[in-house]
């Protein structure tokens, strides 16, 4: 295993556990996503400050962002009963938009 794989694996484990705790304690989504961004930004800072780990820190940002977003949407998808809700796919698209917006701006879209 090389260094970047170890960093990515540790970050994914941390993000996964953080989501579990956030779900258990019912944290607000905006708080959760702001904290996810802080974790990802910290990983990127570590990689940038340690160029021997990787020369492309932005690549791991994309990987971790996609990982966290996919897990978050999957959790939401479990709570939707697709037999009763015809617009569930549209709702998940909107939730994906909200995730992106919260991540970028730190608050809900208006």
């Amino acid at each position: 295993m090389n260094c970047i794989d170890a960093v990515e694996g540790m970050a994914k484990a941390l993000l996964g556990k953080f989501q579990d705790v956030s779900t258990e304690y019912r944290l607000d989504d905006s708080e959760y996503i702001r904290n996810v961004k802080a974790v990802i930004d910290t990983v990127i800072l570590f990689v940038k400050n340690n160029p021997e780990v990787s020369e492309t820190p932005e690549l791991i940002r994309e990987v971790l962002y996609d990982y966290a977003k996919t897990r978050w949407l999957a959790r939401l998808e479990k709570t939707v009963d697709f037999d009763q809700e015809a617009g569930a796919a549209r709702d998940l698209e909107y939730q994906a938009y909200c995730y992106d917006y919260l991540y970028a701006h730190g608050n809900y879209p208006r």
Side-chain angles (χ1 to χ4, degrees):
M1 177 183 291
N2 62 31
C3 291
I4 194 65
D5 290 338
V7 170
E8 179 183 332
M10 178 58 88
K12 284 181 175 180
L14 179 62
L15 289 168
K17 182 62 176 176
F18 186 66
Q19 182 183 12
D20 294 342
V21 170
S22 296
T23 300
E24 180 181 344
Y25 291 101
R26 300 174 189 233
L27 292 182
D28 180 75
D29 289 339
S30 63
E31 181 180 359
Y32 167 72
I33 294 169
R34 281 192 302 267
N35 287 321
V36 164
K37 183 176 182 175
V39 169
I40 292 172
D41 288 347
T42 302
V43 170
I44 300 310
L45 183 61
F46 173 80
V47 173
K48 284 181 179 178
N49 289 336
N50 296 280
E52 67 276 7
V53 173
S54 176
E55 294 178 1
T56 56
E58 290 307 314
L59 181 60
I60 195 167
R61 179 188 306 275
E62 293 173 24
V63 169
L64 295 177
Y65 179 85
D66 290 343
Y67 174 79
K69 181 179 177 181
T70 300
R71 280 186 56 106
W72 186 74
L73 289 172
R75 178 186 58 85
L76 292 177
E77 196 170 30
K78 288 179 186 177
T79 63
V80 174
D81 185 351
F82 286 100
D83 294 333
Q84 295 178 356
E85 183 77 37
R90 271 194 322 271
D91 186 53
L92 284 176
E93 288 176 23
Y94 177 73
Q95 294 301 324
Y97 165 76
C98 284
Y99 185 94
D100 295 337
Y101 193 93
L102 280 164
Y103 189 91
H105 302 286
N107 54 14
Y108 287 99
R110 296 178 188 236

